[in-house]
Amino acid sequence: MSQEASAECSALLAHVSAYLDGDLDAAECQTIELHCRNCSRCAALVEGLRETIGLCREAGASGGT
Amino acid sequence: VPVTNPENVNLSISETDRESCARLVRASAAGDREAMERLLMRAQEVAYRFGLLVCGHAQDAEDVMQDALLKTYRYVSRIKEPEAFRTWLYTTVRNACLMKRRRHVGEPAHLTSIEQGGSSGDGGTQPVEVEDHARPADQMMIDAWVSGRLRQALIALPPSYRMIVVLREMEGLSTREVAKVAGISEANVKTRLHRARVMLRQALEGV
């Protein structure tokens, strides 16, 4: 597992929101997922953002809207 | 490492909600008073909650909500896209919040303490505002809606970022709708949303 931030990590950071919003195509998603298998920092980032988005949406859903 | 999209979490605005709002708008515009009452009740809740998070003060949220309800009542027949009623409502509230913010410019940022404010400078005394330490109503409203961790993280966001998060993630508007309400490009919405998510994550991990 690489722990040093690389150019691939920077690329992931730039596209992670688009990935989580489902705005990337299958090949781009695969690139991110492959990178996350080998980079625990990026995997944690993606999971953390996914959890954050989930918390916001759950709060919105419970707001009676 | 499992990496999954949060697609399984439902967004707030469903098609049913859009359609039901649109029906109420059309019926209200045609003079149906019962539909107008239901539309105003729905608008009241949405406008107050959004105003509270954007303005940050209960009194301001109350004022902008009243303004939005008045505009809904007066101009319902002029709403061109009934399906986009919620977007229209958010835009109305957002504009009213901006006006409030502009009016607040120039007001003292902090209340004067008793020790600092006793003398008027000419040998007399001047009235001193005493800070109310009771828990504000707006804070209690937000408490009831948003969990403690998320609340602290949201409050720490810059207001322009907080509005994007609230509209996109919590109120369930599309990127295009958020751009329309916020008056910025869709690309800008995505950029702000990404930065806001990263800030929220960092804040949540720090709590």
Side-chain angles (χ1 to χ4, degrees):
Chain A
M1 292 239 179
S2 78
Q3 293 300 311
E4 296 287 321
S6 66
E8 277 186 19
C9 299
S10 300
L12 181 136
L13 183 62
H15 294 105
V16 65
S17 271
Y19 169 71
L20 291 168
D21 288 336
D23 289 342
L24 298 185
D25 62 32
E28 291 169 316
C29 288
Q30 196 175 22
T31 302
I32 286 179
E33 285 157 13
L34 280 172
H35 176 72
C36 285
R37 281 182 204 157
N38 297 308
C39 178
S40 57
R41 281 168 47 137
C42 286
L45 171 72
V46 173
E47 270 308 298
L49 289 176
R50 187 193 61 78
E51 187 193 359
T52 302
I53 295 167
L55 274 175
C56 289
R57 290 184 182 175
E58 282 168 21
S62 66
T65 53
Chain B
V1 179
V3 180
T4 53
N5 292 341
E7 297 298 323
N8 56 335
V9 182
N10 291 329
L11 291 178
S12 304
I13 299 184
S14 63
E15 280 307 308
T16 312
D17 188 63
R18 271 182 222 278
E19 287 161 13
S20 114
C21 272
R23 272 199 301 276
L24 289 175
V25 169
R26 288 195 185 95
S28 302
D32 184 335
R33 295 184 65 160
E34 194 182 326
M36 174 60 86
E37 278 180 26
R38 288 173 60 196
L39 183 66
L40 290 175
M41 282 175 70
R42 197 172 287 194
Q44 180 175 359
E45 184 188 343
V46 172
Y48 185 74
R49 188 177 57 238
F50 181 55
L52 197 54
L53 279 169
V54 174
C55 293
H57 303 282
Q59 186 56 56
D60 287 354
E62 180 79 24
D63 290 347
V64 299
M65 179 195 74
Q66 293 295 346
D67 187 56
L69 293 182
L70 193 61
K71 285 196 167 100
T72 303
Y73 182 77
R74 279 184 181 165
Y75 304 127
V76 70
S77 59
R78 296 191 204 169
I79 296 175
K80 291 176 185 170
E81 296 175 68
E83 280 76 12
F85 172 71
R86 292 274 288 258
T87 309
W88 177 85
L89 185 64
Y90 290 126
T91 307
T92 303
V93 173
R94 177 247 181 197
N95 289 341
C97 286
L98 283 178
M99 291 296 289
K100 280 271 173 199
R101 208 175 290 167
R102 283 177 194 141
R103 279 189 211 125
H104 286 319
V105 172
E107 291 180 3
H110 303 288
L111 294 176
T112 308
S113 73
I114 293 174
E115 288 77 16
Q116 290 169 328
S119 168
S120 63
D122 57 3
T125 56
Q126 61 184 13
V128 174
E129 289 182 272
V130 179
E131 197 170 355
D132 181 3
H133 288 288
R135 209 136 164 274
D138 54 340
Q139 193 60 59
M140 287 193 282
M141 281 287 295
I142 297 175
D143 283 1
W145 179 32
V146 184
S147 76
R149 287 170 69 212
L150 183 58
R151 184 182 65 246
Q152 287 179 38
L154 275 173
I155 289 170
L157 284 179
S160 60
Y161 284 25
R162 187 166 64 233
M163 181 172 69
I164 303 296
V165 170
V166 170
L167 287 171
R168 183 75 181 91
E169 310 285 33
M170 304 173 88
E171 299 291 337
L173 268 65
S174 68
T175 301
R176 179 176 292 185
E177 289 169 328
V178 176
K180 198 171 173 185
V181 173
I184 58 178
S185 67
E186 289 184 44
N188 212 336
V189 168
K190 289 180 181 178
T191 302
R192 287 190 195 183
L193 183 62
H194 172 65
R195 288 178 184 161
R197 284 169 172 173
V198 172
M199 286 183 204
L200 279 177
R201 175 192 172 245
Q202 288 169 343
L204 287 168
E205 286 183 343
V207 172

